[in-house]
């Protein structure tokens, strides 16, 4: 049969998969503090509740995350790191008041500290991402989709490329041998904000945890969440809930996060 007979779609519709088995370890790689919570917060909360260790790798320092031209950006970096640690704690369901930064029993938060807005998909940073993958040994890596069309923010594009390139480097033994770490091959990569999503996770019970984690990023209420009042914050919660509900309705569940799934890594 010819590829494009009248009435035949030129491209086959995506065959969707859903609800991966809970991984033992997940690593989420975001460009900025808060990207992981926006992209995959409910999925990570679900897995954490089922015993998965959830690790964060945040590539930039978030120093441009304000609309205030007079902001103290060094202070902002410190604030955003604290917010990210708290957001990760909320996703993982760890107890309040951890004893110390080394007492994160169900996951870690690593900051590479690159200047916000200037992230390069460089060989050196690829090595740092590979080092993290080899260290935490995730079954599943989650990251930005670098091939999302019409994406403007270069950090999101480059963070996605670094995650993909970092997986290739981490799995093959001749890359970055100087790390002295054993190669590690994750089994699945999930890309959020995907150009062509083909996988969903049913997160109906975890939308509230995602919102709770997002709201740890207090410094971002104005610039990212457009929330400078309680009413605004309520509207933000409604928007996120409606978005996940809409994605879920497509697949017959109350709420979903959707991804491009890449297996056979
Ligand atoms: Zn971002």
């Amino acid at each position: 049969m010819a590829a494009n007979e009248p009435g035949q779609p030129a491209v086959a519709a995506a065959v969707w998969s859903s609800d991966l088995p809970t991984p033992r370890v997940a690593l989420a790689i975001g460009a900025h503090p808060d990207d992981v919570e926006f992209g995959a917060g409910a999925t990570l909360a679900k897995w954490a509740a089922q015993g998965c260790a959830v690790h964060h790798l945040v590539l930039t320092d978030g120093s441009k995350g304000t609309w205030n031209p007079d902001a103290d950006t060094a202070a902002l970096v410190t604030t955003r790191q604290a917010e990210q640690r708290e957001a990760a704690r909320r996703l993982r369901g760890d107890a309040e008041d951890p004893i110390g930064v080394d007492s994160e029993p169900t996951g870690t938060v690593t900051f590479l500290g690159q200047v916000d807005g200037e992230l390069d998909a460089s060989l050196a940073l690829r090595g740092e991402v590979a080092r993290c993958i080899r260290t935490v040994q995730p079954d599943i890596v989650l990251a930005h989709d670098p091939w999302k069309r019409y994406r403007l923010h270069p950090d999101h594009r480059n963070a996605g490329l670094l995650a993909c390139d970092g997986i290739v480097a981490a799995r093959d033994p001749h890359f970055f041998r100087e790390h002295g770490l054993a190669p590690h091959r994750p089994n699945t990569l999930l890309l959020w904000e995907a150009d062509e999503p083909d996988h969903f996770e049913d997160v109906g019970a975890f939308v509230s945890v995602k919102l709770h984690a997002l709201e740890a990023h207090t410094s971002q209420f104005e610039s990212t969440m457009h929330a400078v009042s309680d009413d605004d914050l309520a509207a933000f919660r409604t928007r996120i809930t409606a978005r996940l509900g809409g994605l879920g309705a497509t697949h017959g569940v109350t709420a979903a996060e959707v991804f491009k799934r890449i297996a056979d890594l």
Side-chain angles (χ1 to χ4, degrees), residues 31-32 34-35 144 156:
H32 310 107
D34 80 6
D35 284 335
H144 300 267
H156 293 167

Side-chain angles (χ1 to χ4, degrees), residues 91-103:
L91 285 188
R92 296 188 308 245
D94 288 350
E96 299 264 4
D97 302 316
I99 297 160
V101 291
D102 295 328
S103 65

Side-chain angles (χ1 to χ4, degrees), residues 45-71:
K46 177 175 78 168
W47 290 343
Q50 295 167 355
C52 174
V54 171
H55 298 273
H56 283 59
L57 175 61
V58 179
L59 302 178
T60 76
D61 60 9
S63 56
K64 291 192 175 63
T66 176
W67 286 349
N68 175 6
D70 301 319

Side-chain angles (χ1 to χ4, degrees), residues 58-241:
V58 179
L59 302 178
T60 76
D61 60 9
S63 56
K64 291 192 175 63
T66 176
W67 286 349
N68 175 6
D70 301 319
D72 176 347
T73 55
L76 180 62
V77 169
T78 303
T79 297
R80 296 199 69 182
Q81 287 199 356
E83 291 171 349
Q84 179 63 87
R85 289 187 191 282
E86 172 61 14
R89 189 192 67 73
R90 292 181 183 184
L91 285 188
R92 296 188 308 245
D94 288 350
E96 299 264 4
D97 302 316
I99 297 160
V101 291
D102 295 328
S103 65
E104 295 171 326
T106 59
T108 57
V109 182
T110 301
F111 299 96
L112 288 191
Q114 299 300 296
V115 175
D116 191 346
E118 301 177 15
L119 184 66
D120 280 328
S122 67
L123 189 60
L125 287 176
R126 186 191 310 178
E128 293 310 304
V129 172
R131 185 198 302 276
C132 184
I133 292 169
R134 287 173 170 177
T135 300
V136 307
Q137 302 185 336
D139 304 307
I140 299 181
V141 174
L142 307 95
H144 300 267
D145 181 353
W147 300 288
K148 169 87 169 172
R149 277 171 285 192
Y150 314 123
R151 175 197 291 292
L152 291 188
H153 204 305
D155 287 352
H156 293 167
R157 195 165 57 238
N158 286 329
L161 288 173
L162 284 166
C164 296
D165 298 350
I167 287 171
V168 173
R171 75 176 189 206
D172 291 348
H174 291 283
F175 285 83
F176 302 106
R177 298 179 67 156
E178 66 276 20
H179 289 174
L181 296 167
H184 177 77
R185 182 191 295 265
N187 61 44
T188 305
L189 169 63
L190 294 179
L191 300 173
W192 66 69
E193 236 181 44
D195 205 64
E196 295 183 359
D198 59 5
H199 177 83
F200 74 91
E201 288 289 330
D202 177 356
V203 296
F206 296 92
V207 175
S208 60
V209 185
K210 177 184 177 104
L211 289 170
H212 188 46
L214 280 167
E215 289 165 19
H217 296 282
T218 310
S219 69
Q220 303 306 293
F221 279 6
E222 180 184 16
S223 60
T224 298
M225 301 165 192
H226 309 298
V228 292
S229 70
D230 286 348
D231 283 352
D232 291 342
L233 197 56
F236 167 74
R237 291 185 188 121
T238 300
R239 279 199 307 278
I240 296 289
T241 303

